[in-house]
């Protein structure tokens, strides 16, 4: 089974702090994704990566950056956290065949910015 | 670009009754379609997916979905729900040569005894 893990289930940060969310997958997947989930809005793609050190912006990249130094690890960075970034953050990975293939999700990190 | 609409925000169903969740997609070519379930406080788990072939797809936990191209729909069904089916359900659409998926806003299912 594919396993996607996220470093924290719950985080509380203060406005202006730099925040790191970590995601690790153990199935040698090429693609990794960061989403945020808000009630009534479903999942919105922040960034994705299709290879080590490669990244592309998703639908809502503003205020976020990402890092992928190793294939199995994909980090989401909030450079200066703001209250409107309070949300559930979900990481996912997929094999990477470029055919809309299945994405596998981690358990999520619920972030509260005060 | 592809998009997904889930018309029902919230559905309440009695335990043992049937369930149908609606999903409509917008995409010009043949879509790749998915249903995911999210239990409270958890990540998303894949229920089933459609890529091609038989338009009636069987998934885990007794769920099935039917792809209807003429209606641009991919509705999820379960003949008899269990209390453990209370969750949020997301429909998603993908496309050939595109790594990304577009998700609907989700439908929350409440199961009453």
């Amino acid at each position: 089974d594919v396993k996607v893990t996220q470093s924290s289930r719950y985080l509380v940060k203060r406005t202006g702090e730099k925040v790191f969310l970590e995601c690790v997958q153990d199935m040698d997947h090429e693609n990794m994704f960061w989403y945020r989930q808000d009630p009534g809005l479903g999942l919105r793609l922040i960034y994705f990566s299709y290879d080590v050190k490669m990244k592309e912006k998703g639908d809502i990249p503003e205020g976020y950056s990402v890092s992928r130094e190793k294939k199995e690890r994909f980090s989401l960075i909030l450079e200066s956290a703001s209250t409107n970034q309070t949300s559930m953050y979900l990481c996912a990975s997929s094999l990477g065949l470029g055919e809309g293939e299945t994405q596998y999700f981690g358990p999520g990190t619920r972030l509260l910015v005060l | 670009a592809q998009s997904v609409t889930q018309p029902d925000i919230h559905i309440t169903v009695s335990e043992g009754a049937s369930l149908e969740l609606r999903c409509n997609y917008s995409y010009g070519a043949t879509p790749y379609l998915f249903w995911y379930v999210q239990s409270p406080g958890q990540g998303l788990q894949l229920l089933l997916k459609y890529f091609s072939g038989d338009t009636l797809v069987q998934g885990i936990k007794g769920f099935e979905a039917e792809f209807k191209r003429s209606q641009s729909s991919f509705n999820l069904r379960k003949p008899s729900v269990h209390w453990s089916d209370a969750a949020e359900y997301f429909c998603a659409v993908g496309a050939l040569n595109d790594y990304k998926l577009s998700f609907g806003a989700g439908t929350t299912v409440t199961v009453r005894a």
Side-chain angles (χ1 to χ4, degrees), chain A residues 9 31 33 35 37 40-43 45 48 50 88 90 94 96-108, chain B residues 9 32 34 36 38 40-46 49 51 88 90 94-106:
Chain A
R9 294 299 302 272
N31 299 333
F33 306 81
Y35 294 88
Q37 180 183 12
L41 297 178
L43 278 70
L45 182 64
F48 75 100
Y50 51 90
M88 172 76 123
L90 292 167
S94 68
L97 299 176
E99 294 187 347
E101 71 270 24
T102 302
Q103 292 184 17
Y104 297 89
F105 284 82
Chain B
I9 297 172
Y32 299 98
F34 306 80
Y36 286 87
Q38 185 180 34
Q42 304 298 314
L44 274 67
Q45 180 184 20
L46 179 70
K49 58 187 177 184
F51 280 7
E88 191 163 17
F90 292 93
L96 184 65
N97 295 324
D98 190 346
Y99 301 126
K100 296 179 285 185
L101 297 180
S102 294
F103 286 83

Side-chain angles (χ1 to χ4, degrees), chain B residues 5-112:
Chain B
T5 300
Q6 293 180 247
D8 304 305
I9 297 172
H10 191 199
I11 287 179
T12 299
V13 60
S14 298
E15 193 169 14
S18 64
L19 174 68
E20 181 167 11
L21 303 182
R22 295 184 290 163
C23 172
N24 295 103
Y25 69 89
S26 174
Y27 182 58
T30 299
Y32 299 98
L33 294 159
F34 306 80
W35 275 101
Y36 286 87
V37 61
Q38 185 180 34
S39 298
Q42 304 298 314
L44 274 67
Q45 180 184 20
L46 179 70
L47 281 176
L48 47 79
K49 58 187 177 184
Y50 171 79
F51 280 7
S52 65
D54 192 346
T55 57
L56 185 62
V57 181
Q58 302 297 320
I60 62 171
K61 305 186 180 195
F63 284 92
E64 67 177 26
E66 186 171 12
F67 171 57
K68 292 186 177 180
R69 185 188 301 275
S70 61
Q71 298 177 19
S72 297
S73 69
F74 188 57
N75 293 349
L76 182 72
R77 299 192 291 256
K78 186 169 183 177
S80 176
V81 300
H82 186 261
W83 63 266
S84 60
D85 294 322
E88 191 163 17
Y89 293 80
F90 292 93
C91 182
V93 62
L96 184 65
N97 295 324
D98 190 346
Y99 301 126
K100 296 179 285 185
L101 297 180
S102 294
F103 286 83
T107 298
T108 299
V109 174
T110 298
V111 180
R112 59 179 175 224

Side-chain angles (χ1 to χ4, degrees), chain A:
Chain A
D1 279 355
V2 177
K3 188 158 186 182
V4 180
T5 57
Q6 296 183 228
S7 52
S8 304
R9 294 299 302 272
Y10 301 95
L11 273 179
V12 180
K13 297 293 181 181
R14 297 221 173 261
T15 301
E17 279 193 75
K18 191 169 187 176
V19 182
F20 293 86
L21 304 182
E22 305 285 337
C23 176
V24 177
Q25 50 94 3
D26 67 354
M27 284 301 293
D28 202 36
H29 282 177
E30 299 292 329
N31 299 333
M32 295 188 76
F33 306 81
W34 275 107
Y35 294 88
R36 66 177 280 176
Q37 180 183 12
D38 300 289
L41 297 178
L43 278 70
R44 293 180 292 167
L45 182 64
I46 304 171
Y47 267 97
F48 75 100
S49 168
Y50 51 90
D51 200 353
V52 175
K53 298 190 186 293
M54 306 303 289
K55 61 187 179 184
E56 281 197 25
K57 293 179 181 179
D59 300 319
I60 52 164
E62 297 78 19
Y64 303 94
S65 62
V66 290
S67 172
R68 193 166 180 202
E69 297 295 322
K70 293 185 178 182
K71 191 174 187 180
E72 69 271 17
R73 188 179 297 270
F74 191 35
S75 302
L76 179 69
I77 303 156
L78 286 65
E79 297 289 344
S80 177
S82 63
T83 55
N84 62 12
Q85 293 179 308
T86 290
S87 187
M88 172 76 123
Y89 290 88
L90 292 167
C91 174
S93 71
S94 68
L95 188 57
L97 299 176
E99 294 187 347
E101 71 270 24
T102 302
Q103 292 184 17
Y104 297 89
F105 284 82
T109 296
R110 191 167 293 280
L111 173 66
L112 173 62
V113 182
L114 299 174

